[in-house]
Amino acid sequence: MWGSIDGLWAWLEANRPAGDDAQSLLMRMLKLSEEVGEVAQAVIGATGRNPRKGVTHTWEDVESELCDVVITALVALRTLTPDTREVFTRHLARVTERSRPGGRTPPAPGPAGAGSWPGSPGRAGSGTAGG
């Protein structure tokens, strides 16, 4: 994964206009907002919440858009530091630790079908890591 992030970053760097350091950084950060908006659009489409359009997306579309957010965020992080893997791993460890009451292992997911959304822990047949 990290080699792919470095490769995407290198490709973007090789194709940016000369002398465009500040603008490239800004654009990579803004690209993240665009990708998050695409997640929202896919969720609205998967739930059929736009009465004019109805169901226009699947939950697999939402998964794909979420992956785009993660990739875009990691490339943006790589733009800030060449130590992307170390920075991310260190931060993930801090978030994980502070999310555990007393540093304990999180409880196991509830019974099958307990979640109300695709991918919810315990949701049967979600096909995602969460279920």
Side-chain angles (χ1 to χ4, degrees):
M1 175 175 91
W2 300 107
S4 295
I5 296 301
D6 285 340
L8 289 167
W9 171 82
W11 175 75
L12 286 170
E13 286 295 300
N15 290 288
R16 72 176 166 87
D20 191 21
D21 293 341
Q23 283 236 313
S24 290
L25 176 61
L26 178 62
M27 290 301 111
R28 288 183 198 166
M29 302 306 141
L30 290 176
K31 180 69 174 164
L32 189 52
S33 293
E34 177 191 356
E35 295 297 341
V36 170
E38 290 176 11
V39 171
Q41 181 180 13
V43 169
I44 290 167
T47 58
R49 293 296 181 168
N50 183 334
R52 210 170 29 86
K53 295 180 180 179
V55 174
T56 59
H57 291 75
T58 65
W59 286 106
E60 288 78 21
D61 293 328
V62 176
E63 291 171 359
S64 178
E65 296 300 343
L66 285 168
C67 288
D68 287 349
V69 169
V70 172
I71 292 165
T72 302
L74 289 173
V75 170
L77 181 60
R78 174 60 185 89
T79 300
L80 295 176
T81 178
D83 300 323
T84 310
R85 182 179 189 161
E86 293 79 14
V87 169
F88 181 79
T89 301
R90 195 170 48 245
H91 187 74
L92 180 59
R94 282 193 307 263
V95 169
T96 301
E97 186 58 34
R98 74 175 181 236
S99 300
R100 294 179 181 169
R104 292 175 292 167
T105 303
S116 60
W117 294 96
S120 295
R123 180 160 173 109
S126 68
T128 64

